[in-house]
Amino acid sequence: MRKAVSKVDLNGLYIEDVEPDDSLIGVVPIYAQPVQEEAPELPGDEEIEDEPDTPEEPEQPREIIGYLVGVPMPTGLYHPRFDLLAWEAYQDAVLEAQSDYVDAMHDWQESYAEGVEQGEQPIYTSPTIPDNLWVEGLTPEEIAERIKPGERTEVEKLRAENTELKLALTELAEAQEADKTEMQLALAEIAGLIGGE
């Protein structure tokens, strides 16, 4: 089963979930499609002349228009934003840890070849992926605009309706109990009148 990954813009703001071709881990750029120029019409066979070879123009770098993010997004964010700078810093830390490991391994192997006591073989330890890569993309003011004061969320509305229903049921049960008591008193009074005759 393939997992959906998040598509974000150049600022890291969430756009939508997409299904990748295969499982994606990390961040992959999305490139703009190159504009295809129409091929010029070729002259008929009789009009073809020997043209001098023209050097091909070097391919222009393609423009990045967004990213696919394979890092799971937490819930509870109004407009999620993936922190691309924090991701790059994490990638730099991974490269540095790998470089340190290669250097330590090289030193360990050299000392082994020279017959020197080298101690334990180095073990690679990858840096921990930060858990704050997804952040809120809206300011507190923008969030406040989305949730107007006095407006209740759907959950709050349902809770209020539930409380009102519970109160109505309690009142109905109390009214039925009162009616039942009145009915019993009336029956007892009737029974007393019948028995007193």
Side-chain angles (χ1 to χ4, degrees), residues 45-184:
D45 290 339
E46 66 280 355
E47 298 177 23
I48 295 180
E49 298 177 12
D50 288 336
E51 294 182 22
D53 290 338
T54 55
E56 290 188 22
E57 293 182 28
E59 190 173 312
Q60 297 293 324
R62 296 190 329 183
E63 178 186 8
I64 296 176
I65 59 170
Y67 298 91
L68 291 178
V69 179
V71 177
M73 183 185 348
T75 58
L77 298 173
Y78 289 94
H79 194 173
R81 182 176 64 82
F82 187 76
D83 192 341
L84 293 165
L85 293 177
W87 175 256
E88 288 174 11
Y90 168 68
Q91 292 301 303
D92 291 344
V94 168
L95 290 175
E96 186 176 330
Q98 290 171 345
S99 176
D100 291 347
Y101 170 72
V102 168
D103 291 345
M105 197 63 184
H106 179 268
D107 294 345
W108 185 82
Q109 288 173 339
E110 274 189 355
S111 63
Y112 179 77
E114 295 170 2
V116 178
E117 182 68 33
Q118 74 273 15
E120 295 286 322
Q121 179 177 349
I123 298 173
Y124 173 71
T125 306
S126 179
T128 305
I129 189 166
D131 50 354
N132 61 345
L133 290 172
W134 284 102
V135 296
E136 180 56 64
L138 296 177
T139 63
E141 293 80 19
E142 290 171 324
I143 292 172
E145 275 184 34
R146 286 190 175 198
I147 301 175
K148 306 247 188 285
E151 272 189 32
R152 296 187 288 185
T153 64
E154 287 299 315
V155 172
E156 291 172 333
K157 289 177 185 175
L158 289 172
R159 283 186 184 145
E161 287 177 17
N162 190 27
T163 303
E164 289 172 12
L165 285 172
K166 284 180 180 178
L167 287 173
L169 285 173
T170 303
E171 289 173 5
L172 182 61
E174 288 173 357
Q176 285 180 338
E177 191 63 36
D179 287 348
K180 182 178 174 184
T181 305
E182 284 181 30
M183 182 76 74
Q184 287 174 344

Side-chain angles (χ1 to χ4, degrees), residues 5-26:
V5 296
S6 301
K7 182 177 180 182
V8 299
D9 67 11
L10 292 174
N11 297 317
L13 287 172
Y14 172 81
I15 298 172
E16 64 183 348
D17 282 341
V18 295
E19 294 230 3
D21 291 336
D22 40 27
S23 290
L24 171 72
I25 297 174

